[in-house]
Amino acid sequence: INVPDCYADPRFDASVDQRSGFHTRCSLTLPLVDHRGGFVGVMQVLNKANGVFDASDETLAQALAAQCAVALQRVRMTEALIEGEKMRQELELARVVQMSTLPAQLPTLAGYDMHATFLPASLTGGDTYDLALVEQGLLVVLGDATGHGIAPALSVTQMHAMLRMAFRLGADLESAFRQVNDQLAQTTRSSELPLAS
C-alpha cells in the first residue's frame, strides 16, 4: 500500500505520531511472505527524503520485503530448533531420573532366577518396574501410566518412590498399596497427570 499523504488517508492512525512527536508524511507498506506463501509480517517504509514513494521505490521495497521475510523465517526456524533442543535435553534429564529409579541390582532369592529389561519406546514414558525383597517376601512391581513423555514418567516415578517409602516405613503390602493408590489418585486428579497402574 503506497500512501502519498498519510493524514489525508482515512486508514491512517495518527496516535503513534501524537505519542512520539514524529510526523508521518507518506508511507509504503508491504506484506512479508515466506517461501510457502504464508504471511509472516509487515514491512513499512516512512517519509521518503524527497517527495513520495514511486513505482521504482515499490520495486526496491518488494525486493527488501522478500529478504526480510527470509530473514524473519530463519530467525523463527532457529528459535524452533533451539526450543526443540531444550526439550530434548529436558527429556534426556527426565530419562536419567526415571532410569535411576529402576533397581540397580536384582534381589537374590533361592529357587528363582531373576532378569529384567527396560526398553522404553521413547526417551521417557510411563513404564517402570521394581523387584525387591520386603518383609513380606518378593515385591514385583510393573507400572504403566498412559502416554509417553515427561508427565507419565513423573507419575510412575512418583508411584515408585512412594511405594518404596511405604515399605521402608514398615507398611504391609495391602496398606502400602492403598496409601500409594489413594495418594496418586488425589495427586493426579489435582494435576491431571496420567494414572499409573
Side-chain angles (χ1 to χ4, degrees):
I1 301 170
N2 188 344
V3 180
D5 183 354
C6 289
Y7 279 87
D9 192 308
R11 297 170 295 180
F12 180 66
D13 179 2
S15 63
V16 174
D17 278 10
Q18 292 165 357
R19 285 195 309 270
S20 65
F22 186 79
H23 180 76
T24 305
R25 289 184 295 102
C26 58
S27 71
L28 182 58
T29 307
L30 297 101
L32 301 181
V33 180
D34 68 12
H35 64 284
R36 294 188 197 127
F39 179 72
V40 295
V42 174
M43 181 181 87
Q44 189 172 57
V45 185
L46 303 175
N47 296 358
K48 184 174 177 177
N50 298 312
V52 295
F53 297 107
D54 57 25
S56 64
D57 295 319
E58 290 177 15
T59 302
L60 177 60
Q62 285 173 353
L64 287 172
Q67 292 301 313
C68 287
V70 169
L72 186 58
Q73 191 66 18
R74 283 185 181 163
V75 166
R76 289 180 177 173
M77 288 171 66
T78 302
E79 288 173 348
L81 284 171
I82 291 169
E83 273 307 306
E85 179 58 20
K86 283 181 185 174
M87 178 59 77
R88 191 199 63 75
Q89 289 175 1
E90 288 177 9
L91 285 171
E92 182 59 38
L93 181 59
R95 179 185 181 283
V96 169
V97 170
Q98 183 178 20
M99 296 299 276
S100 73
T101 65
L102 301 176
Q105 187 174 354
L106 297 179
T108 304
L109 189 62
Y112 291 91
D113 290 329
M114 293 186 216
H115 175 76
T117 302
F118 185 72
L119 300 169
S122 54
L123 277 177
T124 61
D127 304 321
T128 192
Y129 75 90
D130 197 4
L131 293 166
L133 288 175
V134 294
E135 194 174 306
Q136 295 86 8
L138 178 66
L139 171 69
V140 178
V141 175
L142 296 174
D144 184 6
T146 305
H148 298 279
I150 293 175
L154 286 173
S155 181
V156 295
T157 302
Q158 180 183 19
M159 179 275 303
H160 203 181
M162 287 191 299
L163 194 58
R164 280 289 182 122
M165 185 56 70
F167 285 120
R168 279 199 191 118
L169 295 174
D172 61 37
L173 181 59
E174 185 175 342
S175 62
F177 174 79
R178 284 186 190 196
Q179 290 170 13
V180 170
N181 187 64
D182 292 349
Q183 183 61 44
L184 270 177
Q186 182 181 354
T187 304
T188 53
R189 257 195 305 275
S190 62
S191 65
E192 297 184 10
L193 285 175
L195 286 169
S197 58

